[in-house]
Amino acid sequence: MTTYAKPRPTIGPDNAPFWQGCRAHRLLVPFCQTCGKAHLPPGPVCPFCFADDIEWRPASGRGRISTWTRVHKAWFPAFADEVPYTVVQVELDEGPRLTSRLVGARDGEIAIGHRVEAVFTDIDDELTLHGFRIVAE
Amino acid sequence: MGETALDAAIVGIGTSRFGHGLPESQLKLAAIAFKNALADAGLERADVDGLSIHLGWPLGPDYDRVAEAFGLDIRYVNQSWLHGRFITNALQHAALAVSAGLADVVACVTAVSFTRERGFLGGPGDVEGNREEGGTHGEAPPYGLTAPAGGAAIAMQRYMHVYGATSAQLAAVPIAMRKHAVKNPAAIMRKPLTLEAHQASRMVVDPLRLYDCCLISDGAAVVLIARGERARDLKQKPVRIAGMQGTRAGREEFIFALRGLGINQQSVTRTAARAIDTEVFAKAAVTHADVHGFYTYDAFSPLVLFALERFGYCGPGEAAAFVQDGRIELGGALPVNTSGGLLSEAHVAGWNSICEMVRQLRGTAGATQIPGAQVLHWGTPWGDAVMLTCT
């Protein structure tokens, strides 16, 4: 068995449901049952109204690229065979943004505002990472 | 109960040499800078009874080890670890401590051994970036955004999209810093930088090229703070801390972006600098027109644009044009980081620029002297600030 050499997420009580959702290939987002707003990164309370009654709900998995960068330098040796690769921030249709990988896009295709949808990659028996791919409007 | 009035001055500065792969330990570099600061101020080691440490775990020794190693007897401590966002915090706490009588002389101590700690800077040793929900610069290590440069890159990418700014415009920032470093014998990078060389340099994290990224260097700086009355009796012309404003944080803030730029969870509505964003001017009873030079944390060249907009030197989206035609160079309308900054002098976590401000206000900056410098503004991309004056 080869060991996954890239950094793994640090998982704690506040974000565990998010990563469990990824395992099931579902993008789950914390919603506040008091004010109805979704937030990311996952927190212990609603950052908008400070209520405690957070419910994890499936997000559409769709959004738009709000910013991006193409990483050319391998700060981690484990990423060396992938550079350059594209990291995006995606504004989900539900509102909050998250940082992820853009998959399957060619150079020149990447632009702020592009419509994207979530995809999932199983890394091993414990970890699934999300990614996004560009889709039509 | 009245409020404690701010009454603090910089009475001494000291640095080690700056360089790559220096053989001295981080603590040794700090000791060299400490001795130089004491000599500069005409103070004895026993006069220092406070420490404001911009050092500490996970990137250096903590305050107690510094006090133990240097044989100090300390009655006031503030500690923030070696991270750019805590420079001003360390300086401000020193100023507040002497103002409140918690100490007579506070030493702000920073020491950097980045060439020995490279793995920490976005690599496998980065315990900060690997925390739950990543690091403060937007690090998301599982997705390969692992270094502080990535945070500046995603902010600049969006800034370029929103305002049409270009990499060639951005180049004016590192070119200006290099011009200053060429005049500064203590600077590491002393060969002039051209626009062509900037544009031809390798892409690191798009849109940041090699010369948009600061040096990874070694060096130390110590700044000594005392009350105004004490300062007037000491060897050097006092440099007064005339006003301050604190660090900004919240969902509208990202340390490497302007409010409303749409990074992380920010809104997408930019506004011109508000009174609360620039309160340091009112606190110091000065205006923008009074400021002879601006100093900021230029770890990446976009940060200079963001700091200029944040403090209202120009409007939203105007900074890329503002920095052209030598405006931020010595001889320009608003010289920025006149010793060369982190981009070209050395990455001493910004304290190299604080020391330069003191030399400017004493009138001892030599080849980089701003004629008649009396009011200088230190303001960071994350919104904290200190106004220094010699009046």
Side-chain angles (χ1 to χ4, degrees):
Chain A
M1 182 186 149
T2 54
T3 312
Y4 183 68
K6 291 172 190 159
R8 304 176 76 92
T10 301
I11 300 175
D14 293 333
N15 69 355
F18 180 86
W19 293 105
Q20 288 158 6
C22 286
R23 287 297 296 153
H25 290 204
R26 296 170 79 197
L27 197 64
L28 299 185
V29 172
F31 277 81
C32 173
Q33 297 185 79
T34 299
C35 74
K37 288 183 182 166
H39 73 267
L40 284 174
V45 293
C46 172
F48 304 106
C49 75
F50 216 38
D52 295 297
D53 52 344
I54 288 165
E55 180 182 53
W56 287 82
R57 297 179 196 161
S60 64
R62 295 171 75 88
R64 290 183 190 280
I65 296 173
S66 55
T67 190
W68 60 276
T69 184
R70 196 128 168 90
V71 180
H72 293 258
K73 174 175 167 166
W75 276 275
F76 270 79
F79 288 109
D81 60 353
E82 285 178 35
V83 292
Y85 53 85
T86 304
V87 177
V88 289
Q89 282 196 341
V90 172
E91 184 168 310
L92 298 175
D93 288 353
E94 290 77 11
R97 302 192 191 96
L98 80 173
T99 301
S100 187
R101 269 295 185 92
L102 188 68
V103 297
R106 287 186 296 274
D107 271 351
E109 273 189 319
I110 311 150
I112 290 170
H114 270 331
R115 201 89 178 112
V116 290
E117 73 175 12
V119 295
F120 295 90
T121 305
D122 294 323
I123 301 299
D124 54 28
D125 290 345
E126 292 179 348
L127 178 63
T128 298
L129 294 178
H130 54 76
F132 283 84
R133 65 182 184 92
I134 294 174
V135 295
E137 279 297 313
Chain B
M1 292 271 291
E3 63 181 49
T4 300
L6 177 64
D7 179 9
I10 297 176
V11 299
I13 54 171
T15 60
S16 70
R17 62 179 166 148
F18 305 147
H20 293 297
L22 297 184
E24 295 90 351
S25 72
Q26 199 174 359
L27 204 49
K28 176 69 175 182
L29 292 171
I32 293 166
F34 205 103
K35 287 179 187 221
N36 287 338
L38 289 174
D40 179 69
L43 286 168
E44 300 294 326
R45 183 172 50 141
D47 293 322
V48 174
D49 58 355
L51 279 178
S52 189
I53 297 282
H54 183 242
L55 198 62
W57 191 92
L59 258 180
D62 286 345
Y63 71 91
D64 42 3
R65 177 62 189 138
V66 173
E68 177 187 65
F70 296 180
L72 304 172
D73 197 2
I74 293 299
R75 67 182 176 115
Y76 168 80
V77 164
N78 169 61
Q79 173 164 327
S80 50
W81 66 281
L82 180 53
H83 192 292
R85 64 203 149 113
F86 297 130
I87 304 160
T88 323
N89 176 287
L91 189 60
Q92 290 178 340
H93 279 76
L96 294 171
V98 298
S99 299
L102 296 177
D104 293 328
V105 177
V106 177
C108 300
V109 182
T110 200
V112 178
S113 292
F114 277 155
T115 49
R116 216 175 280 131
E117 304 268 3
R118 285 197 83 105
F120 189 92
L121 304 171
D126 181 6
V127 294
E128 186 207 8
N130 285 305
R131 291 179 299 186
E132 185 174 335
E133 310 317 336
T136 27
H137 321 88
E139 289 95 335
Y143 296 97
L145 198 63
T146 64
I154 58 173
M156 189 62 194
Q157 192 75 252
R158 192 165 166 88
Y159 182 93
M160 291 164 100
H161 170 80
V162 173
Y163 299 113
T166 66
S167 170
Q169 285 182 303
L170 183 61
V173 171
I175 289 170
M177 298 307 105
R178 187 63 61 86
K179 283 185 180 175
H180 299 161
V182 166
K183 294 174 185 279
N184 172 11
I188 293 174
M189 302 297 276
R190 304 200 61 204
K191 194 178 139 200
L193 176 66
T194 63
L195 174 60
E196 294 69 31
H198 175 276
Q199 291 293 286
S201 68
R202 67 184 162 85
M203 195 65 88
V204 176
V205 52
D206 195 344
L208 303 190
R209 297 177 180 279
L210 178 65
Y211 293 120
D212 294 312
C213 301
C214 65
L215 302 170
I216 302 293
S217 58
D218 304 330
V222 168
V223 172
L224 301 175
I225 311 289
R227 288 185 82 134
E229 189 181 5
R230 181 81 185 272
R232 280 189 288 279
D233 295 335
L234 292 175
K235 188 168 145 190
Q236 303 288 352
K237 178 181 176 183
V239 167
R240 193 163 70 91
I241 297 175
M244 315 195 293
Q245 71 179 52
T247 303
R248 310 299 151 111
R251 290 176 80 82
E252 269 302 327
E253 296 284 354
F254 171 57
I255 61 166
F256 284 173
L258 290 151
R259 293 173 72 90
L261 191 58
I263 304 300
N264 284 356
Q265 311 307 323
Q266 294 180 319
S267 70
V268 293
T269 308
R270 289 285 316 280
T271 57
R274 305 161 300 170
I276 198 168
D277 299 323
T278 60
E279 57 183 322
V280 68
F281 290 93
K283 290 186 189 293
V286 300
T287 68
H288 288 77
D290 297 322
V291 173
H292 296 111
F294 181 63
Y295 293 77
T296 192
Y297 189 79
D298 59 328
F300 306 103
S301 42
L303 305 188
V304 174
L305 306 188
F306 300 162
L308 288 166
E309 287 188 19
R310 184 183 272 274
F311 290 103
Y313 288 100
C314 54
E318 294 174 359
F322 181 90
V323 299
Q324 305 303 312
D325 305 320
R327 188 181 262 133
I328 62 168
E329 295 172 12
L330 281 162
L334 185 69
V336 171
N337 293 359
T338 49
S339 59
L342 279 63
L343 285 165
S344 277
E345 184 187 25
H347 191 328
V348 190
W351 293 92
N352 46 318
S353 287
I354 303 279
C355 290
E356 168 72 1
M357 294 171 78
V358 173
R359 290 189 295 267
Q360 289 283 350
L361 292 167
R362 289 176 180 173
T364 61
T368 63
Q369 183 67 47
I370 301 168
Q374 291 192 320
V375 179
L376 299 178
H377 177 187
W378 166 264
T380 67
W382 46 94
D384 56 31
V386 169
M387 203 68 76
L388 298 182
T389 69
C390 60
T391 52

